[in-house]
């Protein structure tokens, strides 16, 4: 087959190996010929006759099928003669008339100029191309189906029309069918064809046997499922290898074992959702419209099984009324359920109800059935309030049963209202908010690694070392150490990294691989050759705007040499293709029209460098966040706006020029503000990494709030541990503690800060960790606080318990009031710590004297995660929990020398009174006066005065200003364990900066234009980063004033450029010309 | 005994001649399918019984069809050293009378067709006279001589040389008339290229229809290098009204066998297949006997005639798909898969059965080979025309007086075929058209009757030679209906693999149905013609590529008939039922009530001796009244 053959196709010469068909030769030339029965994996057939061409060889002329005609020397082929086109028209006309409802035929007919079938319409959907039969015979070697009868009576069927005994239900027939004839391949074998369900989409839709887990998966290479691969199982088929041009398929790949030598191991194996079918009363697995929260999550996803269209599994109808049931498999006993709270599920339900409402419209009836609404994390409480405002019904009830209504798919939910009334309510769909369990494989892993697990099968650890297991050198994070939500697992990941590298610091950097980029291409002399890549972002963009139209539009813009659409431009394979396109089309400016530059620009800029281009020759048009997300209901205008945004991007890109990459050395010193447990933890972690640390404490001693705490929720004594920490910090020669010091002045930026303290000392440092803590709210005027000595705050009680005070011992009755000053409109957040804290103290009191009456007055018991066990224990010990709604708070009066408390019983709806000797108020945790510090370090505070992280999930401990990290209570109230973990996480993140010799700086910074600058210095006062200085130098015999830019300090904000009256300074990458061009494009002038 | 020498062959020949020409009276019955269907088996039984009854010392022998099917059952009486008399249209009663007459030493005087004084030994190139040197003295002097009958006069029987003269189930008879001498010659004194060059020089073209030069095809296959090659005999004769191959296989199977062994030697094949349709059980039976006999004598199998050449032959029975006459479909069918064509190239001569070089020739082609070898290319090409040398066999059927198997030198005109051999149109009706080539051919009108019958001339008229069907039509035939008939056939016989043939014939059928029902529009005719053209152009195999020929040729030559159907809603031949009306001739009807009683639709009114009337709404146009009326009182409009 090595011999080559030369032939001409449409007067163009082409050389192909002997034996190649004319069709393939034509395709090699890029000549398009329509086909129907041709299929690469099976032998040429020549049946449909759509691929007709005219061939001439010597005197011989004939119209023939190109899919079977062999190329030979001197062959002359025409693919578009009148006769050929007439023949194709007849073929497609005949087929379309036979199968008028097949879209493919309609499209092909229309391409050939046929608008209606010419012949009386048939009702078939099979064009008898025989691909199915040939695939079954030739590839599967099975022959489950064949062709029966002759002529027009021909049909595809099983032998004798009976169920095939040999059919493997492999589905190859349906796969190759061009018309969708095989609706149910089970009809061939008589067996039920069970499609392989998609792992990624929770089994809601099907997945091929060769699949990518999801479009952005890394690596993005497809994989073959060996459990279902006919080739691997039987040796038949092998189609994929046949059609894969790069010959990338290897059926013999085996699992390989690697031995790695490591200093530490981090375990982050995750969890599996609770199997909801174990709870029979809820009918999961039996009723089509009962979903798990994971399934519903996929349904809501634009990249999910139904492309974000929320429909019922039973009938494809949009649900109008959905119930979410919390605590499925959690806070429960029996039926494999777990006693603990899974922590994330309340929020999952709330979020899903809001997203579902966005999908299904404001009339969606949302009901969440919960026991306690647990939204303790930062900003979660606000979310909960918002949902109520949107009309969601939050129903405090444990649902009794779910039943389907007479096969209608509708579900009858039986529950008891708070007033004790039994209600049967019909819903269109029910979502079970399933909890988490440890999968057996994880338990097996733990056993093998000899990692101790606690009673709930989570890794045992201490609150002061939350990512350290009891086996030396092995660390754990995420769900493995207890139920938690995404921000916390992300943060813990960093914390575990810090813990695991602590003792490996000396080996840091020794196994690094440095990314090497090809030398940068010189583009200065070239005219702009712009490449435009338009992202569908799954359906985020493509589902709204007409992406092909945008591509076409882009192709028509000046200087655009190339434009294409991607499903996910950020995916690995798309990036690789972009590099290829840049090289193939010699592109020198790139515009990506996709999502947010803040998250994705760095990815594309790296791609630019891989392609040998300066990364500043890149421009992004945010057509998702700024267009399709906000114009979902106006697709046409959205398309128009996308086009405008692309036009603006191209207009600017045309004028971009390469910028020099700037670097700055790193001051490998850390500054930690706050000497509490959090600050000390961070300081120690950084010191252990070998850095010099300055720890600044405004008071004269270390320890912070923890000094008042008695035990952690796990029962560990706090004091000895804090004392040990203090000792360690004070003795560590790498840590310099500055007592009674405050920050007064800050300058510089990441890698090169200078912070001046109130004692006048200026510290040069590369990063800063803010861990300045918070303070308890003092509820003066409430519940007789400060009026009656027996009204205490939680921390006060802790101290008294620690000191075993007489009045605690003697108290016959103690009451706790939760949420004092928190979860109210002025302070719409939950403290996260107090429910567990009060329950913990209540248990201590009951243990101290079981005869003591202990009451806890709460709104929702938020003993999240494993703390739920404490709540259960407290109830077992006889602690009385009384739910007090916010609308009807408890009244506290002095009576007979005791404190008389009156509440309304929620079932009886009548007041109930009782007297106690001590009243403990679980008050809000409130931030210190954080504003001055926020101002100095230029980081935002939230409405409540806590520092704001850069991104709740992606960057949970970073401030929005680079090089500044947040940990502990100054970020948001949280228990010790989480503060410690955050401190570790901060150290870990800080390490990524401090460990470097230099940092790359952003080149988008101000550039003075000396000849325009007259030294007026307007810009210097305006600059928020103190990046500009006025300088003077001798020029032409006189003094010339001009400004100088500190590239480390300058953030490219553009204030100077806006201020300058003389156009004496500009920001690179945002020049007046570039911006004008964008404006002109926006106005339609380009 | 395995023959290894010419002398041994000669011995068999002598035995054969003794059997063929015994010294006693021999009664021969034409027991081919055509004869049997006319009642020859009953005649045979009657003869057998009567001979036994009378204790007559005669030999009763079966033979194949001599060609004059119209006159079957044919019984021949061979008087040793005298004459052979041929009786036609025999019945059991007449047969008994014949035996009685022989017993009495008389010549049975009825049903005499002709007398033969001599037989031609074509392969050897001489005649054998029954009475030598003096003609017999028989009262049959008045009987026409065989060679004088118009039916036989212009025929030259090469393929049919032995049909009707030998017992096809006896190899000795075949050898007696010079059989297997050609094979001996080839194996002992000719190289394969020499054989091919002889066949090439003869100008023999494939008699299956397309007329590809046989020698060229053989040469092509001979040049291919392969571990195995095949020869195949295409005996899947499927055209309606064609039975040439059957006639040869039933009458002279060894003629085909000998041709195939020679062909196999020429191209280097050691295996062969005869692909015969299962609807020819008698042919298959006789082939099996022939193969067994040839193997017995070492004329098939290992080391034929003691040479190094071996050849095995197998029979494959086709299940009756017309498309399996197409060579690639035939190959597929032999391979055991569905009989569907595959695209060419590659041609079977390059890649055929099981992917090996394969020669497929038709029954008639194969039966020409031995005479060509024995008599030489020049002799063969002296018959026929320059472009189409030799003879070919037609099944002449339809509205002619003489129907039957006819072997003519190519170049004879259609007029000679129909009006001389065929004896003109039956029932003194007017000739309208002749259809050649079966469903793949076209209809030729009167103005082209003087066209010579050869490949190119027929093609030029929009028809084809085909494998040899020739159907004569008269004024009572509606040409639109004829086209519809053939399209209906190809529609059902299309394998359905390719779209234009499968869907296109169906659509043509729908359009023809509309035309014959008077429901077509004028533009439909051009649409039909255009579609027919495109189906020819785009179909995968010969079936589809020729299926539209009947439509195209009738539109070309009989457009007026189409137009009458479409425009005037009239069927000029009064065939198409929706367009005709049966009426009672008021003058002629005597009110006999016969039509009224026979009418299945109770559509005829009228009492006894009253003029009847046809209620048109009820009339189903079955034509019963027309046929039954003894007074010509029913007319058709």
């Amino acid at each position: 087959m090595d011999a080559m053959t030369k032939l001409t196709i449409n007067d163009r010469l082409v050389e192909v190996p002997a034996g190649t068909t004319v069709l393939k030769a034509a395709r090699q030339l890029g000549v398009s010929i329509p086909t129907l029965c041709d299929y690469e994996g099976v032998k040429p057939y020549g049946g449909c006759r759509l691929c007709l061409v005219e061939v001439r060889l010597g005197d011989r002329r004939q119209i023939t099928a190109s899919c079977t005609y062999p190329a030979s020397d001197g062959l002359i082929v025409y693919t578009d003669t009148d006769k050929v086109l007439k023949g194709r028209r007849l073929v497609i006309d005949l087929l379309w008339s036979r199968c008028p409802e097949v879209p493919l035929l309609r499209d092909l007919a229309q391409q050939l100029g046929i608008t209606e079938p010419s012949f009386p319409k048939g009702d078939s959907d099979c064009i008898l191309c025989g691909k199915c039969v040939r695939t079954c015979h030739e590839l599967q070697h099975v022959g489950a189906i064949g062709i029966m009868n002759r002529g027009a009576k021909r049909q595809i069927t099983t032998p004798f029309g009976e169920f095939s005994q040999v059919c493997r239900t492999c589905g190859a027939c349906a796969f190759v069918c061009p018309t969708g004839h095989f609706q149910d391949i089970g009809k061939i074998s008589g067996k039920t064809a069970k499609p392989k369900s998609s792992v990624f989409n929770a089994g809601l839709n099907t997945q091929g046997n060769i699949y990518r887990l999801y479009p952005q998966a890394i690596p993005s290479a497809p994989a073959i499922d060996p459990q279902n691969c006919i080739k691997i199982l039987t040796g038949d088929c092998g189609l994929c290898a046949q059609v894969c041009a790069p010959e990338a398929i290897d059926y013999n790949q085996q699992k390989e074992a690697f031995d790695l030598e490591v200093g530490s191991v981090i375990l982050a194996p995750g969890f599996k959702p609770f199997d909801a079918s174990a709870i029979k009363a809820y009918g999961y697995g039996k009723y089509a419209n009962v979903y798990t929260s994971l399934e519903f999550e996929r349904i809501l996803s634009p990249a999910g099984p139904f492309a974000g269209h929320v429909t019922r599994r039973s009938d494809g109808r949009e649900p109008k009324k959905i119930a979410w049931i919390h605590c499925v498999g959690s806070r429960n006993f029996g039926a494999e359920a777990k006693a603990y709270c899974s922590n994330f599920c309340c929020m999952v339900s709330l979020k899903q109800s809001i997203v579902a409402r966005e999908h299904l419209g404001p009339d969606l009836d949302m009901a969440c059935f919960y026991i306690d609404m647990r939204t303790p994390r930062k900003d979660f409480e606000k979310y909960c309030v918002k949902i109520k405002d949107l009309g969601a019904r939050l129903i405090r009830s444990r649902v009794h049963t779910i039943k389907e209504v007479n096969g209608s798919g509708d579900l009858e939910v039986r529950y008891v209202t708070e007033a004790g009334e039994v209600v049967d309510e019909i819903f269109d769909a029910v979502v079970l908010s399933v909890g988490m369990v440890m999968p057996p494989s994880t338990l097996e892993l733990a056993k093998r690694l000899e990692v101790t697990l606690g009673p709930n099968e989570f890794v045992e650890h201490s609150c002061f070392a939350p990512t350290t297991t009891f086996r030396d050198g092995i660390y754990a994070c995420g769900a493995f150490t207890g139920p938690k939500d995404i921000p916390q697992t992300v943060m813990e990941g960093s914390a575990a990294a810090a813990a695991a590298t602590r003792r490996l610091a000396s080996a840091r950097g020794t196994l690094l691989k440095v990314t090497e980029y090809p030398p940068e291409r010189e583009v200065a002399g070239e005219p702009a050759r712009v490449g435009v890549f338009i992202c569908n972002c799954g359906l985020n963009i493509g589902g709204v705007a007409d992406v092909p139209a945008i591509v076409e539009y882009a192709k028509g813009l000046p200087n655009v040499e190339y434009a294409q659409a991607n499903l996910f431009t950020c995916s690995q394979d798309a990036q690789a293709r972009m590099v290829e396109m840049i090289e193939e089309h010699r592109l020198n400016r790139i515009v990506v029209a996709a999502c947010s530059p803040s998250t994705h620009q760095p990815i594309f800029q790296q791609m630019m460098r891989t392609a040998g281009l300066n990364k500043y020759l890149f421009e992004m048009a945010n057509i998702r966040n700024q267009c399709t997300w906000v114009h979902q209901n106006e697709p046409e205008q959205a398309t128009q706006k996308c086009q405008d945004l692309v036009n603006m991007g191209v207009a600017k890109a045309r004028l971009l020029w390469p910028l020099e990459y700037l670097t700055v050395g790193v001051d490998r010193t850390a500054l930690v503000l706050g000497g509490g447990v959090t600050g000390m933890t961070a300081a120690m972690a950084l010191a252990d990494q070998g850095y010099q640390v300055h720890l600044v404490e405004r008071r004269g001693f270390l320890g912070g709030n923890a000094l008042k705490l008695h035990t952690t929720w796990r029962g560990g004594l706090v004091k000895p541990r804090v004392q040990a920490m203090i000792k360690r910090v004070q003795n560590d020669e790498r840590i310099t503690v500055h007592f009674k010091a405050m920050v007064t002045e800050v300058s510089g930026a990441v890698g090169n800060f200078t912070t001046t303290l109130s004692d006048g000392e200026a510290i040069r440092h590369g990063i800063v960790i803010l861990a300045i803590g918070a303070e308890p709210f003092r509820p003066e005027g409430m519940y007789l606080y400060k009026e009656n000595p027996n009204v205490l705050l939680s921390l006060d009680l802790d101290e008294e318990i620690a000191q075993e005070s007489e009045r605690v011992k003697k108290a016959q009755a103690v009451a706790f009031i939760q949420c004092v000053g928190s979860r109210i409109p002025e302070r719409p957040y939950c403290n996260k710590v107090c429910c567990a804290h009060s329950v913990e103290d209540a248990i201590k009191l009951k243990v101290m004297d079981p005869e003591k009456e202990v009451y806890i007055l709460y709104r929702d018991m938020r003993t999240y995660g494993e703390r739920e066990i404490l709540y259960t224990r407290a109830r077992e010990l006889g602690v009385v929990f009384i739910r007090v709604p916010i609308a009807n708070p408890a009244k506290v009066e002095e009576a007979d020398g005791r404190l008389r408390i009156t509440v309304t019983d929620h079932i009886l709806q009548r007041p109930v009174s009782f007297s106690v000797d001590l009243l403990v108020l679980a008050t809000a945790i409130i931030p210190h006066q954080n504003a001055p510090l926020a101002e100095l370090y230029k980081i935002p505070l939230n409405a409540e005065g806590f520092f704001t992280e850069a991104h709740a999930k992606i960057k949970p401990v970073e401030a929005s200003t680079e090089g500044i990290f947040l940990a502990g209570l100054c970020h948001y109230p949280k228990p010790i364990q989480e503060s410690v973990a955050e401190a570790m996480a901060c150290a870990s993140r800080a390490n990524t900066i401090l460990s470097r010799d230099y940092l790359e700086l952003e080149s988008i910074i101000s550039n003075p234009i000396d000849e325009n600058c007259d030294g007026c210095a307007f810009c210097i006062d305006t600059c928020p980063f103190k990046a500009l200085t006025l300088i003077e130098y001798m020029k032409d015999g006189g003094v010339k004033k001009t400004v100088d830019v500190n590239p480390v300090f300058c953030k490219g904000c553009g204030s100077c450029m806006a201020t300058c009256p003389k156009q004496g300074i500009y920001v690179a990458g945002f020049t007046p010309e570039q911006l004008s061009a964008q404006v002109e494009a926006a106005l339609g002038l380009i | 005994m395995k023959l290894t020498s010419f002398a041994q062959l000669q011995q068999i020949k002598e035995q054969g001649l003794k059997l063929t020409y015994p010294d006693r009276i021999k009664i021969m019955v034409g027991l081919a399918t055509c004869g049997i269907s006319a009642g020859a088996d009953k005649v045979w039984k009657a003869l057998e019984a009567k001979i036994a009854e009378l204790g007559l010392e005669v030999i009763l022998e079966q033979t194949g069809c001599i060609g004059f099917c119209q006159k079957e059952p044919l019984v021949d009486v061979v008087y040793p050293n005298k004459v052979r008399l041929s009786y036609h249209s025999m019945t059991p009663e007449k047969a008994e009378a014949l035996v009685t007459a022989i017993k009495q030493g008389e010549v049975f005087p009825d049903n005499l067709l002709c007398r033969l004084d001599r037989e031609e030994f074509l392969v050897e190139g001489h005649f054998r006279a029954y009475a030598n040197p003096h003609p017999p003295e028989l009262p049959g002097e008045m009987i026409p001589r065989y060679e004088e009958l118009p039916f036989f006069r212009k025929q030259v029987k090469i393929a049919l040389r032995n049909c009707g003269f030998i017992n096809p189930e006896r190899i000795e008879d075949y050898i007696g008339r010079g059989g297997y001498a050609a094979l001996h010659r080839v194996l002992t004194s000719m190289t394969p290229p020499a054989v091919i060059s002889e066949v090439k020089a003869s100008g023999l073209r494939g008699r299956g229809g397309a007329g590809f030069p046989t020698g060229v095809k053989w040469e092509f296959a001979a040049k291919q290098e392969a571990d195995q090659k095949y020869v195949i005999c295409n005996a899947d004769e499927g055209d309606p009204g064609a039975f040439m191959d059957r006639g040869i296989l039933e009458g002279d199977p060894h003629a085909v066998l000998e041709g195939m062994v020679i062909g196999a030697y020429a191209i280097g094949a050691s295996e062969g297949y005869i692909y015969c349709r299962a609807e020819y059980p008698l042919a298959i039976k006789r082939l099996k006997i022939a193969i067994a006999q040839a193997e017995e004598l070492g004329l098939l199998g290992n080391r034929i005639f003691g040479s190094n050449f071996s050849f095995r032959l197998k029979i494959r029975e086709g299940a009756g798909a017309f498309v399996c006459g197409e060579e690639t479909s035939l190959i597929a069918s032999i391979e055991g898969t569905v009989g569907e064509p595959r695209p060419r190239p590659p041609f079977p001569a390059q890649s055929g059965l099981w992917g090996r070089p394969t020669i497929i020739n038709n029954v008639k082609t194969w039966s020409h080979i031995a005479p060509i070898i024995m008599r030489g290319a020049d002799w063969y090409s002296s018959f026929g025309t320059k472009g189409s040398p030799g003879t070919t066999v037609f099944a002449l059927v339809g509205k002619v007086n003489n129907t039957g198997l006819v072997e003519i030198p190519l170049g004879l005109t259609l007029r000679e075929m129909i009006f001389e051999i065929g004896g003109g149109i039956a029932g003194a009706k007017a000739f309208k058209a002749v259809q050649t080539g079966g469903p793949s051919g076209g209809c030729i009108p009167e103005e082209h009757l003087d066209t010579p019958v050869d490949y190119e001339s027929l093609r030029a008229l929009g028809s084809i030679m085909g494998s040899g069907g020739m159907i004569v039509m008269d004024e009572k035939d509606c040409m639109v209906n004829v086209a519809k008939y053939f399209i209906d056939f190809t529609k059902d016989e299309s394998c359905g693999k390719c779209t234009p043939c499968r869907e296109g014939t169906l659509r043509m059928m729908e359009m023809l149905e509309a035309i014959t029902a008077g429901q077509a529009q004028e533009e439909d005719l051009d649409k039909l013609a255009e579609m027919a053209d495109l189906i020819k152009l785009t179909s995968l195999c010969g079936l589809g590529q020729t299926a539209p020929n009947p439509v195209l040729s009738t539109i070309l030559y009989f457009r007026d008939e189409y137009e009458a159907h479409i425009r005037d809603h009239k069927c000029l031949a009064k065939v198409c039922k929706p367009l005709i009306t049966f009426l009672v001739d008021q003058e002629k009807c005597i009110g006999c009530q016969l039509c009224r009683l026979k009418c299945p639709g109770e559509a005829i009114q009228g009492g006894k001796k009253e003029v009847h009337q046809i209620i048109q709404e009820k009339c189903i146009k079955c034509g019963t009244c027309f046929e039954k009326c003894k007074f010509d009182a029913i007319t058709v409009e």
Side-chain angles (χ1 to χ4, degrees), chain A residues 731-885:
Chain A
N731 291 336
D732 193 319
E733 55 189 24
R734 288 166 301 199
I735 302 173
T736 312
V737 185
H738 302 261
F739 287 109
K740 294 191 172 175
M742 304 272 276
V743 173
T744 55
E745 208 183 324
V746 177
S747 66
V750 59
N752 293 278
F753 287 104
T754 303
T755 296
T756 310
L757 302 180
S758 45
D759 59 11
E761 186 176 350
I763 302 167
R764 294 178 59 86
H765 56 101
I767 61 100
V768 56
I769 295 173
L770 303 186
I772 60 169
E775 57 196 86
F777 169 63
R778 293 178 198 281
E780 278 157 41
M782 292 171 77
Y783 303 119
L784 304 176
Y785 177 67
K786 294 246 170 140
E787 290 168 30
N788 184 309
N790 293 330
V791 178
L792 312 173
L793 299 187
S794 301
L795 285 175
D796 303 332
L797 178 67
D798 257 33
E799 276 188 304
E800 293 206 21
I801 291 175
Q803 291 157 11
E804 299 175 7
S805 80
E806 279 304 306
R807 69 169 171 176
V808 171
K809 274 191 203 164
K810 283 182 182 162
Q812 287 173 3
V814 182
F816 294 81
I817 297 180
Q818 301 299 106
C819 301
V820 178
S822 57
R823 298 184 64 196
I824 52 172
E826 306 93 281
R827 239 171 263 112
Y829 60 87
C830 163
N831 287 318
K832 208 175 182 188
V833 298
C834 3
C835 278
H837 196 167
S838 297
V839 168
E840 205 186 301
D841 283 348
I843 291 171
K844 282 176 194 163
L845 294 172
K846 273 287 189 185
V847 169
M848 199 183 289
D849 177 4
E851 296 302 311
K852 272 192 172 65
E853 290 168 28
V854 181
Y855 303 93
I856 296 184
L857 279 58
Y858 70 100
R859 284 169 60 191
D860 288 285
M861 275 318 292
R862 294 187 163 172
T863 46
Y864 61 91
E866 290 189 274
R867 291 163 177 81
E868 179 69 11
I869 310 300
L870 295 178
Y871 181 30
T872 307
R873 171 126 196 268
R875 281 178 289 157
E876 283 165 359
L877 291 172
V879 176
V880 178
F881 287 87
I882 302 169
R883 197 169 70 78
V884 183

Side-chain angles (χ1 to χ4, degrees), chain B residues 500-551:
Chain B
C501 179
R502 179 187 69 236
E503 305 289 330
T505 52
L506 175 73
R507 300 305 185 178
M508 285 202 290
M509 183 67 191
E510 286 173 0
M511 291 164 93
L512 288 166
E513 274 174 342
I515 293 172
T516 54
Q519 287 163 356
Q521 310 300 315
E522 215 151 311
E523 61 270 21
D524 289 350
L525 190 52
D526 287 333
K527 190 178 163 189
L528 175 63
E530 191 192 11
M531 185 160 74
D533 270 331
L534 284 172
I535 292 169
K536 275 177 73 116
L537 207 60
T538 58
S539 288
L540 169 59
C541 82
L543 194 157
Q545 288 163 6
T546 57
N549 283 348
V551 172

Side-chain angles (χ1 to χ4, degrees), chain B residues 421-443:
Chain B
I421 297 172
I425 306 302
K429 300 251 170 38
F431 171 86
K432 185 184 257 182
V434 58
Q435 209 274 354
T436 67
S440 306
C443 293

Side-chain angles (χ1 to χ4, degrees), chain B residues 193-211:
Chain B
V195 176
I196 291 171
S197 114
E198 196 66 36
V199 175
K200 261 174 90 176
S202 76
L204 174 66
R205 296 172 65 171
R207 296 295 190 243

